[in-house]
Amino acid sequence: CCDEVATLLALAGWADLHAEAVRTRDAFLTDPQQAASRLAHLDRRLRRSRLLRWSLRGLGVVTDDAAKELPPRLTGDAHARLLAQLDRARDAADADFAEEPTGDLPALAARLVVGLDLAAARLVVASLAVRTDVVGAEAVEVSRA
């Protein structure tokens, strides 16, 4: 989940926070106690940043009605999903973490990016954490049919 946070921060142009998210991800692999501390620090910085909130606010809004078949973490705008990704990273550190079904994220992403410029569309897709490796494989299969 820290990869998803790092990707969104990189696309949003937040190089220092991106680097911090990558260091946090690496700490999960080597030192879980340090990772928890790093994640708490990253969480505080992201939640306090008014400029980051402003830059992601209103992008790709998913209403509760539109997300009936999707997990609750996908509701809201890109900023709300960024914070939900942080929460998932914290949950992933717990032994009881279980993956939740994600529904049809590529279709949702396609609906949300209509009318957006390329930069905004990339932020929306990154906030949804769409597995592009899987989407790409499905697209190849469809195009061969």
Side-chain angles (χ1 to χ4, degrees), residues 61-93:
V61 175
V62 177
T63 62
D64 291 334
D65 294 338
K68 288 180 183 174
E69 68 279 355
L70 299 170
R73 68 177 171 82
L74 295 177
T75 59
D77 58 12
H79 185 262
R81 287 189 294 274
L82 173 66
L83 298 180
Q85 288 171 0
L86 281 170
D87 293 339
R88 286 188 70 217
R90 190 175 306 106
D91 294 343

PDB file of all heavy atoms in Angstrom, residues 61-93:
ATOM      1  N   VAL A  61     -14.351  12.224  -7.925  1.00  0.00           N
ATOM      2  CA  VAL A  61     -15.247  11.990  -6.788  1.00  0.00           C
ATOM      3  C   VAL A  61     -16.111  10.755  -7.041  1.00  0.00           C
ATOM      4  O   VAL A  61     -16.759  10.642  -8.078  1.00  0.00           O
ATOM      5  CB  VAL A  61     -16.135  13.217  -6.513  1.00  0.00           C
ATOM      6  CG1 VAL A  61     -17.140  12.930  -5.406  1.00  0.00           C
ATOM      7  CG2 VAL A  61     -15.271  14.418  -6.165  1.00  0.00           C
ATOM      8  N   VAL A  62     -16.080   9.847  -6.089  1.00  0.00           N
ATOM      9  CA  VAL A  62     -16.925   8.648  -6.113  1.00  0.00           C
ATOM     10  C   VAL A  62     -17.921   8.791  -4.975  1.00  0.00           C
ATOM     11  O   VAL A  62     -17.529   8.859  -3.814  1.00  0.00           O
ATOM     12  CB  VAL A  62     -16.093   7.356  -5.933  1.00  0.00           C
ATOM     13  CG1 VAL A  62     -16.992   6.136  -5.884  1.00  0.00           C
ATOM     14  CG2 VAL A  62     -15.058   7.222  -7.032  1.00  0.00           C
ATOM     15  N   THR A  63     -19.199   8.856  -5.323  1.00  0.00           N
ATOM     16  CA  THR A  63     -20.235   8.985  -4.301  1.00  0.00           C
ATOM     17  C   THR A  63     -20.555   7.623  -3.707  1.00  0.00           C
ATOM     18  O   THR A  63     -20.226   6.584  -4.283  1.00  0.00           O
ATOM     19  CB  THR A  63     -21.523   9.584  -4.905  1.00  0.00           C
ATOM     20  OG1 THR A  63     -22.007   8.692  -5.910  1.00  0.00           O
ATOM     21  CG2 THR A  63     -21.269  10.960  -5.499  1.00  0.00           C
ATOM     22  N   ASP A  64     -21.203   7.627  -2.564  1.00  0.00           N
ATOM     23  CA  ASP A  64     -21.596   6.372  -1.922  1.00  0.00           C
ATOM     24  C   ASP A  64     -22.506   5.548  -2.828  1.00  0.00           C
ATOM     25  O   ASP A  64     -22.410   4.331  -2.879  1.00  0.00           O
ATOM     26  CB  ASP A  64     -22.315   6.636  -0.593  1.00  0.00           C
ATOM     27  CG  ASP A  64     -21.371   7.199   0.457  1.00  0.00           C
ATOM     28  OD1 ASP A  64     -20.156   6.939   0.375  1.00  0.00           O
ATOM     29  OD2 ASP A  64     -21.858   7.902   1.360  1.00  0.00           O
ATOM     30  N   ASP A  65     -23.384   6.226  -3.561  1.00  0.00           N
ATOM     31  CA  ASP A  65     -24.295   5.523  -4.464  1.00  0.00           C
ATOM     32  C   ASP A  65     -23.542   4.827  -5.593  1.00  0.00           C
ATOM     33  O   ASP A  65     -23.892   3.721  -5.985  1.00  0.00           O
ATOM     34  CB  ASP A  65     -25.313   6.487  -5.076  1.00  0.00           C
ATOM     35  CG  ASP A  65     -26.266   7.050  -4.036  1.00  0.00           C
ATOM     36  OD1 ASP A  65     -26.411   6.411  -2.976  1.00  0.00           O
ATOM     37  OD2 ASP A  65     -26.842   8.119  -4.286  1.00  0.00           O
ATOM     38  N   ALA A  66     -22.515   5.485  -6.114  1.00  0.00           N
ATOM     39  CA  ALA A  66     -21.749   4.920  -7.228  1.00  0.00           C
ATOM     40  C   ALA A  66     -20.851   3.787  -6.781  1.00  0.00           C
ATOM     41  O   ALA A  66     -20.399   2.994  -7.592  1.00  0.00           O
ATOM     42  CB  ALA A  66     -20.922   6.008  -7.894  1.00  0.00           C
ATOM     43  N   ALA A  67     -20.585   3.699  -5.487  1.00  0.00           N
ATOM     44  CA  ALA A  67     -19.627   2.717  -4.982  1.00  0.00           C
ATOM     45  C   ALA A  67     -20.295   1.570  -4.247  1.00  0.00           C
ATOM     46  O   ALA A  67     -19.679   0.947  -3.391  1.00  0.00           O
ATOM     47  CB  ALA A  67     -18.621   3.410  -4.073  1.00  0.00           C
ATOM     48  N   LYS A  68     -21.529   1.261  -4.582  1.00  0.00           N
ATOM     49  CA  LYS A  68     -22.236   0.205  -3.860  1.00  0.00           C
ATOM     50  C   LYS A  68     -21.505  -1.130  -3.915  1.00  0.00           C
ATOM     51  O   LYS A  68     -21.461  -1.852  -2.933  1.00  0.00           O
ATOM     52  CB  LYS A  68     -23.654   0.052  -4.403  1.00  0.00           C
ATOM     53  CG  LYS A  68     -24.558   1.188  -4.024  1.00  0.00           C
ATOM     54  CD  LYS A  68     -25.938   1.007  -4.585  1.00  0.00           C
ATOM     55  CE  LYS A  68     -26.784   2.219  -4.230  1.00  0.00           C
ATOM     56  NZ  LYS A  68     -28.094   2.179  -4.848  1.00  0.00           N
ATOM     57  N   GLU A  69     -20.910  -1.464  -5.058  1.00  0.00           N
ATOM     58  CA  GLU A  69     -20.225  -2.735  -5.194  1.00  0.00           C
ATOM     59  C   GLU A  69     -18.728  -2.612  -4.894  1.00  0.00           C
ATOM     60  O   GLU A  69     -18.000  -3.581  -4.992  1.00  0.00           O
ATOM     61  CB  GLU A  69     -20.427  -3.306  -6.604  1.00  0.00           C
ATOM     62  CG  GLU A  69     -19.742  -2.534  -7.712  1.00  0.00           C
ATOM     63  CD  GLU A  69     -20.484  -1.289  -8.198  1.00  0.00           C
ATOM     64  OE1 GLU A  69     -21.616  -1.027  -7.745  1.00  0.00           O
ATOM     65  OE2 GLU A  69     -19.925  -0.563  -9.027  1.00  0.00           O
ATOM     66  N   LEU A  70     -18.297  -1.425  -4.510  1.00  0.00           N
ATOM     67  CA  LEU A  70     -16.887  -1.177  -4.232  1.00  0.00           C
ATOM     68  C   LEU A  70     -16.646  -1.024  -2.742  1.00  0.00           C
ATOM     69  O   LEU A  70     -17.557  -0.689  -1.991  1.00  0.00           O
ATOM     70  CB  LEU A  70     -16.436   0.094  -4.956  1.00  0.00           C
ATOM     71  CG  LEU A  70     -16.561   0.069  -6.481  1.00  0.00           C
ATOM     72  CD1 LEU A  70     -16.325   1.458  -7.033  1.00  0.00           C
ATOM     73  CD2 LEU A  70     -15.581  -0.919  -7.076  1.00  0.00           C
ATOM     74  N   PRO A  71     -15.406  -1.233  -2.307  1.00  0.00           N
ATOM     75  CA  PRO A  71     -15.095  -1.013  -0.891  1.00  0.00           C
ATOM     76  C   PRO A  71     -15.239   0.463  -0.514  1.00  0.00           C
ATOM     77  O   PRO A  71     -15.022   1.339  -1.346  1.00  0.00           O
ATOM     78  CB  PRO A  71     -13.639  -1.460  -0.763  1.00  0.00           C
ATOM     79  CG  PRO A  71     -13.164  -1.833  -2.093  1.00  0.00           C
ATOM     80  CD  PRO A  71     -14.285  -1.728  -3.063  1.00  0.00           C
ATOM     81  N   PRO A  72     -15.589   0.740   0.737  1.00  0.00           N
ATOM     82  CA  PRO A  72     -15.777   2.135   1.182  1.00  0.00           C
ATOM     83  C   PRO A  72     -14.537   3.003   1.010  1.00  0.00           C
ATOM     84  O   PRO A  72     -14.648   4.212   0.867  1.00  0.00           O
ATOM     85  CB  PRO A  72     -16.133   1.993   2.661  1.00  0.00           C
ATOM     86  CG  PRO A  72     -16.556   0.594   2.851  1.00  0.00           C
ATOM     87  CD  PRO A  72     -15.902  -0.214   1.783  1.00  0.00           C
ATOM     88  N   ARG A  73     -13.353   2.405   0.990  1.00  0.00           N
ATOM     89  CA  ARG A  73     -12.120   3.196   0.867  1.00  0.00           C
ATOM     90  C   ARG A  73     -12.033   3.938  -0.456  1.00  0.00           C
ATOM     91  O   ARG A  73     -11.224   4.838  -0.622  1.00  0.00           O
ATOM     92  CB  ARG A  73     -10.892   2.312   1.044  1.00  0.00           C
ATOM     93  CG  ARG A  73     -10.684   1.329  -0.085  1.00  0.00           C
ATOM     94  CD  ARG A  73      -9.418   0.505   0.079  1.00  0.00           C
ATOM     95  NE  ARG A  73      -9.348  -0.550  -0.871  1.00  0.00           N
ATOM     96  CZ  ARG A  73      -8.922  -0.410  -2.137  1.00  0.00           C
ATOM     97  NH1 ARG A  73      -8.522   0.772  -2.559  1.00  0.00           N
ATOM     98  NH2 ARG A  73      -8.892  -1.426  -2.947  1.00  0.00           N
ATOM     99  N   LEU A  74     -12.878   3.573  -1.428  1.00  0.00           N
ATOM    100  CA  LEU A  74     -12.828   4.219  -2.739  1.00  0.00           C
ATOM    101  C   LEU A  74     -13.767   5.406  -2.860  1.00  0.00           C
ATOM    102  O   LEU A  74     -13.756   6.100  -3.868  1.00  0.00           O
ATOM    103  CB  LEU A  74     -13.143   3.200  -3.841  1.00  0.00           C
ATOM    104  CG  LEU A  74     -12.121   2.084  -3.986  1.00  0.00           C
ATOM    105  CD1 LEU A  74     -12.563   1.090  -5.046  1.00  0.00           C
ATOM    106  CD2 LEU A  74     -10.749   2.645  -4.311  1.00  0.00           C
ATOM    107  N   THR A  75     -14.569   5.669  -1.837  1.00  0.00           N
ATOM    108  CA  THR A  75     -15.482   6.810  -1.907  1.00  0.00           C
ATOM    109  C   THR A  75     -14.715   8.105  -1.643  1.00  0.00           C
ATOM    110  O   THR A  75     -13.633   8.102  -1.068  1.00  0.00           O
ATOM    111  CB  THR A  75     -16.640   6.675  -0.904  1.00  0.00           C
ATOM    112  OG1 THR A  75     -16.110   6.579   0.397  1.00  0.00           O
ATOM    113  CG2 THR A  75     -17.495   5.471  -1.215  1.00  0.00           C
ATOM    114  N   GLY A  76     -15.296   9.184  -2.076  1.00  0.00           N
ATOM    115  CA  GLY A  76     -14.669  10.485  -1.895  1.00  0.00           C
ATOM    116  C   GLY A  76     -13.831  10.871  -3.094  1.00  0.00           C
ATOM    117  O   GLY A  76     -13.961  10.309  -4.174  1.00  0.00           O
ATOM    118  N   ASP A  77     -12.942  11.833  -2.891  1.00  0.00           N
ATOM    119  CA  ASP A  77     -12.094  12.307  -3.977  1.00  0.00           C
ATOM    120  C   ASP A  77     -10.695  11.704  -3.860  1.00  0.00           C
ATOM    121  O   ASP A  77     -10.456  10.821  -3.029  1.00  0.00           O
ATOM    122  CB  ASP A  77     -12.042  13.837  -3.986  1.00  0.00           C
ATOM    123  CG  ASP A  77     -11.527  14.435  -2.679  1.00  0.00           C
ATOM    124  OD1 ASP A  77     -10.987  13.691  -1.839  1.00  0.00           O
ATOM    125  OD2 ASP A  77     -11.665  15.656  -2.500  1.00  0.00           O
ATOM    126  N   ALA A  78      -9.785  12.158  -4.705  1.00  0.00           N
ATOM    127  CA  ALA A  78      -8.429  11.597  -4.725  1.00  0.00           C
ATOM    128  C   ALA A  78      -7.720  11.768  -3.380  1.00  0.00           C
ATOM    129  O   ALA A  78      -6.985  10.890  -2.940  1.00  0.00           O
ATOM    130  CB  ALA A  78      -7.610  12.229  -5.847  1.00  0.00           C
ATOM    131  N   HIS A  79      -7.962  12.886  -2.711  1.00  0.00           N
ATOM    132  CA  HIS A  79      -7.322  13.102  -1.410  1.00  0.00           C
ATOM    133  C   HIS A  79      -7.854  12.122  -0.365  1.00  0.00           C
ATOM    134  O   HIS A  79      -7.085  11.552   0.415  1.00  0.00           O
ATOM    135  CB  HIS A  79      -7.527  14.546  -0.941  1.00  0.00           C
ATOM    136  CG  HIS A  79      -6.788  14.845   0.320  1.00  0.00           C
ATOM    137  ND1 HIS A  79      -7.397  14.821   1.558  1.00  0.00           N
ATOM    138  CD2 HIS A  79      -5.486  15.137   0.542  1.00  0.00           C
ATOM    139  CE1 HIS A  79      -6.506  15.103   2.479  1.00  0.00           C
ATOM    140  NE2 HIS A  79      -5.335  15.294   1.899  1.00  0.00           N
ATOM    141  N   ALA A  80      -9.158  11.907  -0.356  1.00  0.00           N
ATOM    142  CA  ALA A  80      -9.741  10.945   0.593  1.00  0.00           C
ATOM    143  C   ALA A  80      -9.203   9.540   0.338  1.00  0.00           C
ATOM    144  O   ALA A  80      -8.914   8.793   1.278  1.00  0.00           O
ATOM    145  CB  ALA A  80     -11.266  10.945   0.477  1.00  0.00           C
ATOM    146  N   ARG A  81      -9.014   9.180  -0.938  1.00  0.00           N
ATOM    147  CA  ARG A  81      -8.470   7.851  -1.253  1.00  0.00           C
ATOM    148  C   ARG A  81      -7.002   7.746  -0.865  1.00  0.00           C
ATOM    149  O   ARG A  81      -6.538   6.686  -0.456  1.00  0.00           O
ATOM    150  CB  ARG A  81      -8.696   7.525  -2.726  1.00  0.00           C
ATOM    151  CG  ARG A  81     -10.169   7.209  -3.019  1.00  0.00           C
ATOM    152  CD  ARG A  81     -10.373   6.679  -4.416  1.00  0.00           C
ATOM    153  NE  ARG A  81     -10.087   7.656  -5.450  1.00  0.00           N
ATOM    154  CZ  ARG A  81     -10.966   8.545  -5.907  1.00  0.00           C
ATOM    155  NH1 ARG A  81     -12.196   8.582  -5.421  1.00  0.00           N
ATOM    156  NH2 ARG A  81     -10.639   9.392  -6.861  1.00  0.00           N
ATOM    157  N   LEU A  82      -6.253   8.853  -0.968  1.00  0.00           N
ATOM    158  CA  LEU A  82      -4.860   8.845  -0.521  1.00  0.00           C
ATOM    159  C   LEU A  82      -4.797   8.534   0.972  1.00  0.00           C
ATOM    160  O   LEU A  82      -3.998   7.695   1.414  1.00  0.00           O
ATOM    161  CB  LEU A  82      -4.197  10.195  -0.809  1.00  0.00           C
ATOM    162  CG  LEU A  82      -2.786  10.383  -0.243  1.00  0.00           C
ATOM    163  CD1 LEU A  82      -1.800   9.433  -0.906  1.00  0.00           C
ATOM    164  CD2 LEU A  82      -2.339  11.820  -0.406  1.00  0.00           C
ATOM    165  N   LEU A  83      -5.637   9.184   1.750  1.00  0.00           N
ATOM    166  CA  LEU A  83      -5.658   8.929   3.189  1.00  0.00           C
ATOM    167  C   LEU A  83      -6.126   7.506   3.483  1.00  0.00           C
ATOM    168  O   LEU A  83      -5.623   6.853   4.412  1.00  0.00           O
ATOM    169  CB  LEU A  83      -6.542   9.953   3.892  1.00  0.00           C
ATOM    170  CG  LEU A  83      -6.087  11.412   3.764  1.00  0.00           C
ATOM    171  CD1 LEU A  83      -7.030  12.333   4.503  1.00  0.00           C
ATOM    172  CD2 LEU A  83      -4.648  11.597   4.214  1.00  0.00           C
ATOM    173  N   ALA A  84      -7.056   6.991   2.689  1.00  0.00           N
ATOM    174  CA  ALA A  84      -7.506   5.605   2.856  1.00  0.00           C
ATOM    175  C   ALA A  84      -6.380   4.632   2.535  1.00  0.00           C
ATOM    176  O   ALA A  84      -6.252   3.583   3.183  1.00  0.00           O
ATOM    177  CB  ALA A  84      -8.714   5.329   1.967  1.00  0.00           C
ATOM    178  N   GLN A  85      -5.531   4.972   1.564  1.00  0.00           N
ATOM    179  CA  GLN A  85      -4.380   4.123   1.254  1.00  0.00           C
ATOM    180  C   GLN A  85      -3.409   4.089   2.431  1.00  0.00           C
ATOM    181  O   GLN A  85      -2.820   3.044   2.734  1.00  0.00           O
ATOM    182  CB  GLN A  85      -3.686   4.610  -0.014  1.00  0.00           C
ATOM    183  CG  GLN A  85      -4.472   4.343  -1.271  1.00  0.00           C
ATOM    184  CD  GLN A  85      -3.872   5.015  -2.485  1.00  0.00           C
ATOM    185  OE1 GLN A  85      -2.854   5.703  -2.410  1.00  0.00           O
ATOM    186  NE2 GLN A  85      -4.514   4.833  -3.621  1.00  0.00           N
ATOM    187  N   LEU A  86      -3.248   5.218   3.092  1.00  0.00           N
ATOM    188  CA  LEU A  86      -2.406   5.244   4.300  1.00  0.00           C
ATOM    189  C   LEU A  86      -2.993   4.350   5.384  1.00  0.00           C
ATOM    190  O   LEU A  86      -2.262   3.622   6.062  1.00  0.00           O
ATOM    191  CB  LEU A  86      -2.272   6.671   4.833  1.00  0.00           C
ATOM    192  CG  LEU A  86      -1.290   7.567   4.133  1.00  0.00           C
ATOM    193  CD1 LEU A  86      -1.461   8.989   4.602  1.00  0.00           C
ATOM    194  CD2 LEU A  86       0.128   7.093   4.374  1.00  0.00           C
ATOM    195  N   ASP A  87      -4.305   4.411   5.548  1.00  0.00           N
ATOM    196  CA  ASP A  87      -4.962   3.554   6.534  1.00  0.00           C
ATOM    197  C   ASP A  87      -4.766   2.083   6.181  1.00  0.00           C
ATOM    198  O   ASP A  87      -4.538   1.250   7.054  1.00  0.00           O
ATOM    199  CB  ASP A  87      -6.454   3.881   6.624  1.00  0.00           C
ATOM    200  CG  ASP A  87      -6.720   5.262   7.200  1.00  0.00           C
ATOM    201  OD1 ASP A  87      -5.820   5.809   7.891  1.00  0.00           O
ATOM    202  OD2 ASP A  87      -7.811   5.797   6.952  1.00  0.00           O
ATOM    203  N   ARG A  88      -4.849   1.763   4.889  1.00  0.00           N
ATOM    204  CA  ARG A  88      -4.633   0.377   4.458  1.00  0.00           C
ATOM    205  C   ARG A  88      -3.194  -0.059   4.717  1.00  0.00           C
ATOM    206  O   ARG A  88      -2.941  -1.208   5.068  1.00  0.00           O
ATOM    207  CB  ARG A  88      -4.944   0.214   2.972  1.00  0.00           C
ATOM    208  CG  ARG A  88      -6.434   0.230   2.689  1.00  0.00           C
ATOM    209  CD  ARG A  88      -6.732  -0.121   1.265  1.00  0.00           C
ATOM    210  NE  ARG A  88      -6.444  -1.527   1.059  1.00  0.00           N
ATOM    211  CZ  ARG A  88      -5.909  -2.023  -0.057  1.00  0.00           C
ATOM    212  NH1 ARG A  88      -5.591  -1.240  -1.041  1.00  0.00           N
ATOM    213  NH2 ARG A  88      -5.694  -3.308  -0.166  1.00  0.00           N
ATOM    214  N   ALA A  89      -2.246   0.844   4.555  1.00  0.00           N
ATOM    215  CA  ALA A  89      -0.848   0.511   4.835  1.00  0.00           C
ATOM    216  C   ALA A  89      -0.685   0.181   6.314  1.00  0.00           C
ATOM    217  O   ALA A  89       0.021  -0.763   6.676  1.00  0.00           O
ATOM    218  CB  ALA A  89       0.065   1.665   4.443  1.00  0.00           C
ATOM    219  N   ARG A  90      -1.367   0.930   7.157  1.00  0.00           N
ATOM    220  CA  ARG A  90      -1.319   0.653   8.596  1.00  0.00           C
ATOM    221  C   ARG A  90      -1.963  -0.699   8.893  1.00  0.00           C
ATOM    222  O   ARG A  90      -1.443  -1.494   9.662  1.00  0.00           O
ATOM    223  CB  ARG A  90      -2.032   1.767   9.361  1.00  0.00           C
ATOM    224  CG  ARG A  90      -1.825   1.694  10.859  1.00  0.00           C
ATOM    225  CD  ARG A  90      -2.433   2.876  11.589  1.00  0.00           C
ATOM    226  NE  ARG A  90      -1.993   4.154  11.079  1.00  0.00           N
ATOM    227  CZ  ARG A  90      -2.746   4.978  10.336  1.00  0.00           C
ATOM    228  NH1 ARG A  90      -3.970   4.651  10.010  1.00  0.00           N
ATOM    229  NH2 ARG A  90      -2.272   6.126   9.921  1.00  0.00           N
ATOM    230  N   ASP A  91      -3.089  -0.981   8.242  1.00  0.00           N
ATOM    231  CA  ASP A  91      -3.771  -2.262   8.426  1.00  0.00           C
ATOM    232  C   ASP A  91      -2.939  -3.424   7.899  1.00  0.00           C
ATOM    233  O   ASP A  91      -2.984  -4.526   8.441  1.00  0.00           O
ATOM    234  CB  ASP A  91      -5.129  -2.261   7.729  1.00  0.00           C
ATOM    235  CG  ASP A  91      -6.111  -1.286   8.363  1.00  0.00           C
ATOM    236  OD1 ASP A  91      -5.869  -0.859   9.513  1.00  0.00           O
ATOM    237  OD2 ASP A  91      -7.108  -0.961   7.703  1.00  0.00           O
ATOM    238  N   ALA A  92      -2.183  -3.174   6.826  1.00  0.00           N
ATOM    239  CA  ALA A  92      -1.359  -4.233   6.241  1.00  0.00           C
ATOM    240  C   ALA A  92      -0.270  -4.682   7.205  1.00  0.00           C
ATOM    241  O   ALA A  92       0.190  -5.822   7.137  1.00  0.00           O
ATOM    242  CB  ALA A  92      -0.733  -3.759   4.936  1.00  0.00           C
ATOM    243  N   ALA A  93       0.120  -3.800   8.101  1.00  0.00           N
ATOM    244  CA  ALA A  93       1.126  -4.161   9.085  1.00  0.00           C
ATOM    245  C   ALA A  93       0.555  -5.110  10.139  1.00  0.00           C
ATOM    246  O   ALA A  93       1.298  -5.820  10.808  1.00  0.00           O
ATOM    247  CB  ALA A  93       1.676  -2.910   9.761  1.00  0.00           C
TER     248      ALA A  93
END
